[in-house]
Amino acid sequence: MYGFRSPRRENAVHDETVPESAAQNGTCVRNGNLKTPREKRKVREQCENIRRNSTGSRRVSQLQNGEVVEAVTLFEVVSMGKQAMQSVVVDWVEAYKQDRNVALLDLINFFIQCSGCQGMVTAEMFQSLYKKDVMRKMTETFDKETGLQYKKFMAYPWILTVTWPVDMDNEDYPLIRTGPYWKKFKANFCEFIAVLVQQCQCSILYDNYLMDTIISLLTGLADSMVRAFRHTSTLAAMKLLTAVLSVHLNLDVNKHNAQRLYEVEKKRISGKRTSYRLDQLERKRKEYDHKLLEIQNMMNAIFKGTFLNRYRDVIPEIRATCIEEIGSWIKTYPDAFLNDSYLKYVGWMLYDKQAEVRLKCLLGLQGIYSRKELASRMDLFTNRFKDRIVSMPLDKDHEVAVQAMKLLMLMSQNCEDVLSAEDCEMLYQFVYATHRPLAVAAGEFLYKRLLSHEGDKEVQPRGGGKFGASTDQLKRLIRFFLESELHKHVAYLVDSLWDWAGKFLKDWECMTTLLLKNAEEAGEALSDAQESALIEIILAAVREAAEGHPPVGRGAAKKILSVKEKKIQLEDCTKITEHFIMVLPQLLAKYSTDAQKVANLLQIPQYYDLDVYSTGHLEKHLDALLREIKDIVAKHSDMPVLEASSRTYSILCREEMAIYGQVDCARTQMIDELIKQLNQLLDCFWQKEGGFCTDAGEISRMHSALRRVAAFYNAHDLTKWNLYDKTLRFLMFEMEHGNLPVLIILPALQCTYFSLLWQLAAVSENSPKESLFPLRRELRRFSQICTCFLHHKEKDVREKAFMILCDWLLILSHLDSNNNEEAVGFLGYLPNTPLQEKLFSFIKEHVFTDEEEEKKDLTEEGKDETCKLDDLHKKRSLLAAYCKLIVYNVVEMTAAAEIYKYYVKTYSDFGDIIKETLSKTRYNNKIQSAKTLILCLQQLFQTHAESQDSSSGVDFSSPSFANMKELARRFSLTFGWDQVKSRESIAMIHKEGIEFAFHGATGVDGKCLPPNLSFLLIISEFSNKLLKPDKRLVYSYLQRYITEPLSCRGDEWQPLVWYRNSLLANEDEETSVLGSLGEWPPMGSSKTSFKRKLSNGSLPETSQTEAASKAPEQQCASQLPSAVGKSRKRLKSQEMCLQEHLPFLCPGGLRRRYCKDEVKAEDVSEEGPAEDTIEDVDVVGTDQDS
C-alpha cells in the first residue's frame, strides 16, 4: 500500500453496516454488488485480507508541537505542503511500476479524500467488455437501510463504488473552506497534479492504463450530483489538462529539434549510404509523433468529458475554474486553442450572472490581447463580443468593471480601429466614476489614447521650447474637460490621471506660463473658458499633490501614506510654495476682476509651507499677495471670493508663524477700512427714527458692506469693533415693521449670529456668573428672532433663519465653555415643545412638499434643470440640519417618527439622510429608536384607518396599506444580518405592535374583533429578524391576548393567523400545514424530548398556568385534522436566560415558570450533570401562558 497507515478514525463512516476496516483503509477491492446485509458483511473480510504494507514507500514526516508526525497517505502529503511532494510522487511512480493496481487505488482514494468524503471506495474489475448492464450500474442511490449514499461509476478497468454519509451534502469540503490553511491546500492540490504528470511524462504516462483510469475517474466524479465530488474532480481534470498541455509543448520542441537533426544528418550523408544515426533520429521522430497523438487524445478526452459538461455548471466556482483554465490553454498553446471553437466558450460566459465567472473571462482575454501576435488573430471574436466588452465597465461588480476597462485598453493598443469614436467617448467618461480603481483604469485609457499622443516630440519646437510637449498635453486635457461638460468634477478628473499624467500635472511652471502669456502672442493665448478650466486643473493638482489622498466621495477614508509617499508629498509642497509665492500675486493681478478665477486662485495658499516666506527671505512677495487680496476684497462682494479671502488671511495669520505680525497688521488695516465704510453707510441709511433710506444704490452698497463684514466675521474675531448692536438693530426693526429689504436682512442675520458665537467662545473658566446675564439675555433674544423669521414672507429669509436656528440650538445644547460647568448650565438652552413643533412644521412645508404643488411651482416659475438641482440641494440641507437636532438629542427622538413616514416616498431624494438618521439614533438608544419606528407605523395605520369606511374595515389592497407594509419592510432591512445585535429592538417592536393591535378590544374577555388587528400584518415584516427562541417568546406574549382560539376562525381574524404563522415559520411541517388552513394547532399538547434525562425517571409536572391554558386549546385541537410533521427543533439552554435579555416580553406566569425550571435544574445538578436536564428541553407547550 502506498500512503496508508493503520486506523484513521476521521475517515471512517460511523455506521454498523459499514466495514470499519474498509472505512479506515479507505480502499478495498470487492466482487459483486452489496445487495443484502450478508453480502455487506463479507466486505470486512475482503478488506482485511487485502490490507497492504508500505515498507518500500518513503514516509514523510513533519514536526508539529514538538512531535514528529508521519504522513503516509497522498492526502496528508498534499496537506502538509510542497516540500515533500516531489519525493513522494517519485515514490508513488516506483510503487506504480511494481503494482499498478494498488498504486492506482491509492491515487483514487486520494481524489475521494480531497473531496472531503469521509467514506470508503470499493472496486470490482470490469471483466466483460460486452456486458449490457454496465451503464445501468452507473448510478447514485440512497440506501435507506444503512443511511448511506452510494455512487457507482466506471473508472476503466474498474467499476468503482464510493460510499459516504448523507450529510456530505452540507457544502463543506476542502476546496471551499476558508482560511490560509485550506487556501494553501488548494494550491498544493493543483501542484500535486502538475508534479505527477511531470514525473510520469518520460515513463508511465503513455502506458494506456494510468491516464485512462485517471480520466475515467475524474469524468465519473464530475458527473456526480454531489457538489464536493463535482468541484474537486473538475478542478483536478482542468489542472490535469494544463499539465498534459505542458508535456505536449515539450514534445513539440523535442520533435522540432529531432526533425532539424534528421535533416542535417540526411544532408551530411551522401548517395545511398545508410546511417545508424539517421535511423535512430527517424525512430525518435516517429516516437514523438506517437506520443503527441496520445497526448492529443488525452486532451480531447478531458475537454469533451469534463469541460463541455462543467463549464455551464450550476455552481459558479466550477464555471470559473473551467473558464480560467481555458484562458490559460489559449494563451499557452494558441496553435491548437486559439480558434473560434474554443474562444466561443469564453465569449458566452461573459454574460454569466456571477461576477466571479465574468472576471475570469476578462482576465483570460487580457492574457490573449496583451500579445499583439495573438490579438491579430482575434478578429472574429472581437467583432462578435466587442459590444458586450464595451458595456462591461458599467458592471455592478467593481472588480469586473476595472478589468473590463483594462481589457479595452489592451484591445485599443493591439487591435487597429477596434473601438469607434463613440465607444471611446463613452469610455472616457469613466474618469469621473466614484470607484477609484475604475477611474484610474479609465485615466490610463484616456491618457494613452488621447493625451499621450505620438506626435508630442514634433510639437515641441512649435510649443515654445521646453514646454512644448506639456503645453500640447494640457491643451488636449482642457479641451476634453470642457467638452465633457462636467465642470464641477475637475478634482475627479485630475485624480484619475494622477498615476499616469502626474509628471505634466505637476509642471506648475508650464501651467502658469501658459496663463500669463499675453494675447498678442499669436496662437498661444488661451480663451476665457480655457483659462478658467486650467485654473481649476491647477487647483485640483495642487490639492492632490499637497494632501496625497483622493477627493471627497472617492474612497472611504484618507489614504495612509508610506514613508516614500510622505517624502514625495513634502517635496511637492515645497515646490508648490516656492513657485506660487512669486507667481500667485501676478495671477491675482491679471484676473482680479474675474470672481470665479480669483476664488479658485485664492485657495492655493492654504497648501503653502509658510516657513518658506521667512527662511527664503520672501517677505516682499507676501506684501504683494496681501495687497492683491485687499484690492480683491474691495472690488468684489461675491461670497465665494470673500470667503476665500477671509480663509487666506486666517491661514497666513497664525500666531506661531514668523510672518504673523506682518499679516496681522495688514488684516487690521483692511478691517478698519471695512468698518469705517460700514459706519458711513449706516449714518446715511438710518435717516430718522422709524425710517430708512430706500434708495436702491444705498441698499446695494449696504448689502455689499454687510457681506464683506459677515465673510470676515466667520473666521476672525471682530468683537472689538462693536458690531453686534449695529446688526441687531436691523433685525429688531424687521421684527417690528417688516419693511427691510432681503439683501440687508440676510447678511445682518449672519453678522449677529457670528458675533454671539465669538462671545460664547470667549467665556472663560473664571467668568463670574453676573457677567453672563447680559450674554444669556442676548442668546434668548436671538433665538426668538430666528423663531419669528421662520414665518417671514421671503423664502430666503425663512430658510436662512431655519439653518441658523438649528445650528444655534445645537451649539447651545452642547456648550463646552472651557470646563466651566456653571456657565454651561446657565447658558445652555433646549427647545420647548412649541418650538419643536414649529421646526417640524417648517420641514413639512419646505422639504416634504406635495408633488402636485411642486410641479405647479416649477411650471409657473419655468425652472430649468439647474434650478431643480439647487432647490433639491437646499431641501437636503434643511432636512440634514433638522435631523442633526434629532441625532444629538436636541429635540425628542419621537420627532423622527414624522420624518420616517417619508422614507419610501422620498427615497430617491432624501433616503440617505433619513437612513443615516435612523442609524445614528439606533446607536444612541436602541430601545427608544425601536419605539420611534413602531410609533411611525402606528400613526400611519391610524391615518389609514380613519380614511377607510368603518363598516368595511381595513382594505389590505389599498395603496396606502401597501405603502405601510413596504415601509415596514424597509425598516426591517435596516437592522442588517446580525440578529443578536438587534434582538432587543426587534422584540420591542413586536411587543409594542401586539399591544397596539389589541388595544381597544371590546366584549367579554376581548372576544370581539380588535379595531387595530390588521396592524399585525405590518409588524409581521419584522418576524424574520427574530431569533428562534425570541419567536417563541413573542408568540407566548401574543397568547396573552388570545383567550379562545375558536373565535379566530373568521376571515376578519386572518391577520392574526398570518402573524402567528410568521412567528412559527420553519418550526415544522405541521405548523406550515395548519397555518395554511387558517386554524390553530394544539399548542397544549406538548411533546417530551426523548433526550431529556430526569433524575426521578418521571415527566415534569405541569404548572397550573399551563393546565388552565390547555383546556380551550384542546377543544380547538379536537376539530383539527391530523397532520404528520417532523419533530420540532430543540432550543438551547440559553432560553433559560431570555427573561434577562428581554424582560419586557416575559409575562408573570412565564417568568415564574422559568424560575421553577431553574430551581429544578439546580436540584438535579446536585445528583447529576445539569446539561442533561436542560440541554434539549422542548418548548412546545411549555411556553404557553394564559
Side-chain angles (χ1 to χ4, degrees):
M1 136 182 142
Y2 174 82
F4 288 96
R5 65 187 177 196
S6 59
R8 290 183 44 120
R9 296 292 301 172
E10 64 270 21
N11 286 331
V13 180
H14 302 293
D15 192 286
E16 59 181 2
T17 61
V18 180
E20 183 177 0
S21 60
Q24 292 168 352
N25 287 286
T27 307
C28 62
V29 179
R30 101 179 167 166
N31 295 311
N33 298 326
L34 298 179
K35 296 182 180 179
T36 65
R38 179 178 300 175
E39 292 178 350
K40 293 175 183 178
R41 286 194 295 271
K42 291 181 180 179
V43 176
R44 293 183 182 177
E45 302 174 2
Q46 297 176 5
C47 294
E48 291 290 342
N49 293 332
I50 66 170
R51 180 173 296 173
R52 302 180 300 279
N53 296 322
S54 56
T55 54
S57 300
R58 177 179 305 196
R59 295 177 180 267
V60 182
S61 63
Q62 184 177 11
L63 191 64
Q64 291 184 357
N65 298 326
E67 300 180 359
V68 177
V69 179
E70 284 192 344
V72 294
T73 66
L74 293 177
F75 180 78
E76 291 171 341
V77 171
V78 171
S79 300
M80 285 184 175
K82 300 180 180 179
Q83 297 179 353
M85 197 174 298
Q86 190 80 18
S87 59
V88 170
V89 171
V90 172
D91 290 345
W92 184 89
V93 172
E94 294 299 324
Y96 178 88
K97 293 177 179 178
Q98 296 176 10
D99 189 341
R100 63 183 185 180
N101 289 337
V102 171
L104 271 177
L105 286 176
D106 289 341
L107 187 61
I108 291 171
N109 191 72
F110 162 73
F111 285 115
I112 299 300
Q113 287 180 312
C114 288
S115 300
C117 179
Q118 297 179 351
M120 66 176 184
V121 182
T122 58
E124 56 180 312
M125 295 299 296
F126 175 54
Q127 304 292 343
S128 174
L129 294 177
Y130 303 101
K131 199 170 183 179
K132 295 183 179 180
D133 61 346
V134 170
M135 295 308 297
R136 183 175 55 82
K137 291 185 177 183
M138 309 300 120
T139 58
E140 288 188 27
T141 59
F142 171 67
D143 191 335
K144 295 182 179 179
E145 178 183 352
T146 62
L148 298 177
Q149 194 92 1
Y150 291 91
K151 177 177 177 59
K152 185 181 295 184
F153 60 97
M154 171 74 72
Y156 188 83
W158 295 301
I159 296 176
L160 299 178
T161 302
V162 183
T163 310
W164 69 94
V166 180
D167 61 356
M168 188 184 166
D169 289 332
N170 60 2
E171 298 185 357
D172 181 22
Y173 52 95
L175 291 186
I176 64 171
R177 289 174 186 161
T178 57
Y181 176 83
W182 295 110
K183 184 177 181 181
K184 183 179 179 182
F185 171 82
K186 182 177 179 180
N188 294 340
F189 177 72
C190 299
E191 180 69 16
F192 171 80
I193 296 174
V195 173
L196 178 64
V197 174
Q198 181 183 7
Q199 291 297 324
C200 297
Q201 64 178 335
C202 298
S203 54
I204 60 177
L205 190 66
Y206 313 99
D207 65 350
N208 295 325
Y209 194 82
L210 170 66
M211 292 302 294
D212 289 350
T213 303
I214 295 178
I215 293 174
S216 299
L217 168 71
L218 298 180
T219 303
L221 290 177
D223 289 334
S224 173
M225 293 184 294
V226 179
R227 170 180 175 173
F229 287 148
R230 209 164 64 247
H231 189 183
T232 306
S233 60
T234 301
L235 176 63
M238 297 299 99
K239 293 299 180 181
L240 182 65
L241 200 157
T242 302
V244 170
L245 184 59
S246 299
V247 175
H248 190 285
L249 294 176
N250 293 334
L251 289 175
D252 268 340
V253 173
N254 295 336
K255 177 185 175 182
H256 179 70
N257 294 336
Q259 181 67 29
R260 290 179 58 189
L261 290 174
Y262 178 81
E263 293 175 355
V264 171
E265 185 69 20
K266 188 174 182 180
K267 291 180 181 178
R268 191 176 63 83
I269 63 176
S270 58
K272 296 183 178 179
R273 290 170 48 194
T274 59
S275 171
Y276 173 77
R277 173 69 174 165
L278 191 64
D279 294 339
Q280 186 181 23
L281 290 174
E282 178 67 19
R283 288 193 300 271
K284 198 73 173 175
R285 191 178 61 174
K286 292 181 178 180
E287 179 183 351
Y288 286 140
D289 288 336
H290 176 71
K291 289 183 177 180
L292 283 172
L293 181 60
E294 289 201 17
I295 291 292
Q296 191 65 42
N297 292 334
M298 297 176 194
M299 292 166 55
N300 290 335
I302 298 174
F303 186 84
K304 294 179 180 179
T306 304
F307 179 89
L308 290 183
N309 294 327
R310 299 277 71 81
Y311 84 94
R312 51 187 178 180
D313 195 280
V314 296
I315 305 301
E317 291 87 349
I318 298 178
R319 302 199 301 272
T321 298
C322 294
I323 296 303
E324 181 181 14
E325 292 305 315
I326 195 175
S328 67
W329 303 337
I330 296 173
K331 182 180 177 181
T332 305
Y333 192 21
D335 293 339
F337 289 96
L338 188 58
N339 56 66
D340 298 325
S341 299
Y342 297 97
L343 285 171
K344 63 183 180 182
Y345 301 111
V346 181
W348 290 343
M349 302 313 288
L350 288 172
Y351 297 89
D352 196 276
K353 293 182 179 180
Q354 294 296 324
E356 180 185 3
V357 182
R358 300 195 299 272
L359 182 61
K360 296 299 182 183
C361 294
L362 294 172
L363 293 176
L365 291 174
Q366 286 179 16
I368 300 172
Y369 279 102
S370 61
R371 296 165 57 181
K372 196 164 184 121
E373 68 276 9
L374 299 184
S376 61
R377 300 164 58 182
M378 297 281 291
D379 294 340
L380 188 58
F381 178 87
T382 303
N383 293 334
R384 171 64 179 83
F385 296 103
K386 186 201 75 171
D387 293 340
R388 170 58 181 164
I389 298 174
V390 169
S391 68
M392 291 186 76
L394 293 170
D395 197 283
K396 62 182 180 181
D397 185 84
H398 290 320
E399 187 61 25
V400 173
V402 172
Q403 298 304 327
M405 184 62 70
K406 291 182 178 180
L407 175 59
L408 290 166
M409 179 72 247
L410 295 173
M411 292 173 65
S412 67
Q413 287 179 333
N414 297 325
C415 300
E416 296 181 0
D417 302 328
V418 66
L419 298 177
S420 63
E422 292 78 10
D423 294 334
C424 293
E425 289 296 329
M426 188 270 290
L427 296 174
Y428 291 155
Q429 300 304 315
F430 284 97
V431 295
Y432 298 105
T434 56
H435 184 59
R436 192 172 191 275
L438 176 60
V440 171
E444 179 188 7
F445 184 81
L446 173 65
Y447 177 72
K448 292 183 178 180
R449 190 170 179 90
L450 184 64
L451 303 181
S452 181
H453 200 270
E454 296 179 356
D456 281 343
K457 296 181 180 180
E458 301 177 1
V459 176
Q460 184 171 347
R462 295 201 311 267
K466 61 179 181 179
F467 301 130
S470 296
T471 300
D472 190 64
Q473 288 180 335
L474 277 173
K475 288 184 176 180
R476 286 199 289 267
L477 178 60
I478 292 169
R479 191 181 306 114
F480 167 75
F481 176 58
L482 294 175
E483 292 174 356
S484 64
E485 298 180 354
L486 293 170
H487 307 297
K488 294 183 180 180
H489 297 84
V490 65
Y492 283 69
L493 173 61
V494 171
D495 181 61
S496 302
L497 293 169
W498 196 253
D499 294 344
W500 308 102
K503 183 178 180 180
F504 85 84
L505 287 175
K506 293 181 183 180
D507 196 348
W508 321 116
E509 188 177 357
C510 173
M511 294 180 180
T512 53
T513 302
L514 195 59
L515 284 174
L516 292 173
K517 282 184 179 295
N518 296 323
E520 289 78 10
E521 299 182 25
E524 296 295 334
L526 301 175
S527 65
D528 182 70
Q530 290 176 331
E531 287 178 340
S532 299
L534 180 55
I535 291 174
E536 291 184 32
I537 292 173
I538 291 175
L539 176 60
V542 168
R543 182 188 295 113
E544 186 86 16
E547 294 181 349
H549 59 79
V552 177
R554 179 176 283 178
K558 290 187 177 181
K559 179 182 177 183
I560 300 176
L561 302 179
S562 62
V563 176
K564 182 179 179 181
E565 291 172 336
K566 190 69 176 177
K567 181 180 178 181
I568 295 174
Q569 180 188 14
L570 295 176
E571 293 175 353
D572 289 340
C573 285
T574 303
K575 293 178 182 178
I576 290 170
T577 306
E578 293 175 349
H579 179 73
F580 283 98
I581 275 179
M582 295 178 288
V583 176
L584 184 59
Q586 301 176 39
L587 293 173
L588 291 175
K590 180 177 180 180
Y591 300 109
S592 60
T593 58
D594 192 318
Q596 181 183 0
K597 296 185 178 70
V598 167
N600 288 326
L601 289 172
L602 284 174
Q603 296 182 50
I604 295 178
Q606 64 182 302
Y607 305 106
Y608 280 2
D609 180 6
L610 297 178
D611 292 329
V612 176
Y613 274 116
S614 56
T615 57
H617 304 288
L618 301 173
E619 288 80 3
K620 62 177 182 179
H621 295 290
L622 178 60
D623 288 334
L625 176 62
L626 295 174
R627 284 196 304 271
E628 294 299 333
I629 296 176
K630 182 179 178 181
D631 293 340
I632 289 171
V633 172
K635 291 178 182 178
H636 295 275
S637 61
D638 296 332
M639 286 306 294
V641 177
L642 296 175
E643 289 175 353
S645 303
S646 176
R647 192 181 303 111
T648 303
Y649 269 109
S650 177
I651 292 169
L652 297 176
C653 197
R654 297 176 184 172
E655 295 184 4
E656 68 273 10
M657 305 304 299
I659 61 175
Y660 171 74
Q662 184 179 357
V663 179
D664 183 58
C665 181
R667 178 184 62 175
T668 303
Q669 292 178 359
M670 185 195 65
I671 294 177
D672 284 338
E673 294 180 5
L674 292 179
I675 300 303
K676 181 180 178 181
Q677 181 186 7
L678 178 62
N679 290 332
Q680 293 175 354
L681 291 173
L682 286 174
D683 294 339
C684 298
F685 186 79
W686 300 111
Q687 294 178 345
K688 57 182 179 179
E689 187 175 352
F692 61 91
C693 180
T694 58
D695 181 65
E698 289 294 328
I699 293 175
S700 178
R701 286 190 289 272
M702 178 64 71
H703 169 68
S704 300
L706 287 173
R707 284 168 70 95
R708 294 187 182 99
V709 172
F712 279 86
Y713 224 152
N714 190 6
H716 306 270
D717 187 4
L718 308 183
T719 304
K720 63 180 181 179
W721 278 276
N722 299 320
L723 294 173
Y724 176 74
D725 294 333
K726 299 173 183 178
T727 56
L728 182 62
R729 183 179 178 184
F730 288 108
L731 304 183
M732 297 302 296
F733 183 88
E734 177 63 20
M735 286 184 63
E736 296 174 1
H737 301 89
N739 296 324
L740 278 180
V742 178
L743 295 178
I744 294 178
I745 299 174
L746 295 178
L749 191 61
Q750 280 187 309
C751 288
T752 308
Y753 172 56
F754 293 142
S755 178
L756 289 174
L757 287 181
W758 283 110
Q759 293 182 49
L760 276 176
V763 176
S764 64
E765 182 177 356
N766 299 322
S767 298
K769 187 174 182 180
E770 291 75 15
S771 64
L772 299 178
F773 276 105
L775 179 58
R776 182 185 184 186
R777 183 177 60 254
E778 297 304 325
L779 296 180
R780 300 297 186 269
R781 179 191 295 180
F782 184 71
S783 299
Q784 294 174 0
I785 291 173
C786 292
T787 304
C788 179
F789 282 174
L790 292 179
H791 305 285
H792 198 276
K793 59 182 179 180
E794 294 292 338
K795 181 180 179 181
D796 292 339
V797 176
R798 296 196 300 268
E799 292 178 350
K800 175 62 71 174
F802 181 84
M803 294 294 295
I804 290 178
L805 182 59
C806 288
D807 292 342
W808 186 241
L809 293 173
L810 189 61
I811 293 170
L812 292 181
S813 61
H814 293 75
L815 285 178
D816 184 14
S817 300
N818 299 322
N819 299 323
N820 191 343
E821 297 181 0
E822 184 179 2
V824 171
F826 186 71
L827 299 176
Y829 175 74
L830 287 174
N832 52 25
T833 302
L835 180 55
Q836 294 185 29
E837 294 176 354
K838 290 179 181 179
L839 291 174
F840 174 72
S841 298
F842 184 90
I843 288 293
K844 188 174 182 180
E845 294 174 4
H846 292 76
V847 177
F848 299 123
T849 55
D850 294 336
E851 296 181 0
E852 297 180 359
E853 295 180 1
E854 190 174 353
K855 291 180 180 178
K856 182 178 179 181
D857 293 340
L858 294 177
T859 304
E860 292 177 355
E861 299 177 12
K863 296 182 179 179
D864 57 7
E865 192 67 26
T866 304
C867 293
K868 293 180 183 179
L869 291 177
D870 291 340
D871 289 342
L872 178 59
H873 178 69
K874 289 180 181 179
K875 291 180 179 181
R876 287 175 58 84
S877 300
L878 294 172
L879 180 60
Y882 180 73
C883 289
K884 279 194 296 184
L885 299 180
I886 299 174
V887 170
Y888 290 99
N889 299 318
V890 180
V891 301
E892 297 177 0
M893 191 182 295
T894 53
E898 297 291 342
I899 301 295
Y900 296 159
K901 293 178 183 179
Y902 300 92
Y903 182 50
V904 175
K905 183 179 180 181
T906 62
Y907 185 80
S908 58
D909 294 336
F910 312 115
D912 56 335
I913 299 176
I914 299 176
K915 187 176 181 180
E916 185 66 16
T917 304
L918 199 158
S919 175
K920 294 293 185 182
T921 54
R922 183 176 298 154
Y923 177 80
N924 295 338
N925 191 325
K926 294 188 293 185
I927 298 300
Q928 188 61 33
S929 176
K931 289 183 177 181
T932 305
L933 291 181
I934 198 65
L935 176 62
C936 171
L937 296 173
Q938 289 172 359
Q939 292 175 353
L940 286 174
F941 183 84
Q942 288 177 337
T943 304
H944 171 75
E946 292 172 359
S947 64
Q948 299 290 319
D949 186 4
S950 59
S951 61
S952 60
V954 179
D955 183 9
F956 300 153
S957 62
S958 64
S960 60
F961 193 85
N963 291 336
M964 278 189 291
K965 284 203 45 105
E966 175 63 17
L967 181 61
R969 187 186 70 84
R970 296 285 186 94
F971 286 163
S972 175
L973 292 176
T974 61
F975 286 97
W977 295 100
D978 192 349
Q979 293 177 305
V980 176
K981 184 178 179 180
S982 60
R983 64 182 306 191
E984 294 180 5
S985 301
I986 297 296
M988 176 57 71
I989 289 175
H990 282 276
K991 174 184 177 296
E992 295 286 335
I994 292 172
E995 292 177 354
F996 176 77
F998 288 94
H999 178 71
T1002 59
V1004 181
D1005 295 330
K1007 295 182 180 180
C1008 294
L1009 181 71
N1012 300 331
L1013 187 67
S1014 302
F1015 189 72
L1016 293 176
L1017 288 177
I1018 305 298
I1019 62 173
S1020 64
E1021 296 291 338
F1022 297 92
S1023 297
N1024 61 338
K1025 295 298 181 181
L1026 283 169
L1027 293 171
K1028 290 183 179 179
D1030 295 348
K1031 284 185 177 182
R1032 301 300 305 174
L1033 196 58
V1034 171
Y1035 179 75
S1036 66
Y1037 188 77
L1038 177 66
Q1039 289 293 93
R1040 298 177 61 190
Y1041 296 89
I1042 306 172
T1043 58
E1044 192 170 342
L1046 288 177
S1047 62
C1048 305
R1049 303 185 65 181
D1051 293 339
E1052 65 274 8
W1053 290 87
Q1054 200 64 28
L1056 180 59
V1057 177
W1058 289 338
Y1059 178 60
R1060 173 198 164 276
N1061 289 344
S1062 70
L1063 294 177
L1064 300 181
N1066 301 323
E1067 283 292 325
D1068 55 12
E1069 293 179 1
E1070 179 183 0
T1071 301
S1072 61
V1073 170
L1074 295 175
S1076 64
L1077 297 174
E1079 299 178 344
W1080 299 95
M1083 299 301 299
S1085 57
S1086 81
K1087 304 175 184 177
T1088 303
S1089 173
F1090 68 93
K1091 291 184 179 180
R1092 177 183 296 180
K1093 299 177 182 179
L1094 300 177
S1095 58
N1096 57 3
S1098 60
L1099 294 176
E1101 296 180 0
T1102 305
S1103 64
Q1104 296 178 358
T1105 308
E1106 289 174 312
S1109 62
K1110 284 182 180 181
E1113 293 172 0
Q1114 288 177 349
Q1115 295 175 4
C1116 179
S1118 62
Q1119 301 180 15
L1120 295 176
S1122 60
V1124 180
K1126 297 180 180 178
S1127 61
R1128 294 185 180 273
K1129 298 182 180 179
R1130 308 299 190 246
L1131 301 180
K1132 301 298 181 183
S1133 60
Q1134 298 157 352
E1135 289 186 27
M1136 297 301 179
C1137 301
L1138 281 179
Q1139 70 276 15
E1140 298 179 6
H1141 297 288
L1142 307 173
F1144 46 80
L1145 278 178
C1146 294
L1150 186 60
R1151 294 180 188 174
R1152 289 193 297 272
R1153 191 158 60 252
Y1154 273 124
C1155 295
K1156 290 180 180 180
D1157 290 340
E1158 291 177 357
V1159 172
K1160 289 180 182 179
E1162 293 176 359
D1163 294 340
V1164 174
S1165 64
E1166 297 178 357
E1167 302 178 7
E1171 62 260 35
D1172 290 340
T1173 307
I1174 62 176
E1175 179 180 5
D1176 293 305
V1177 177
D1178 198 333
V1179 299
V1180 180
T1182 63
D1183 283 346
Q1184 308 304 313
D1185 197 15
S1186 58

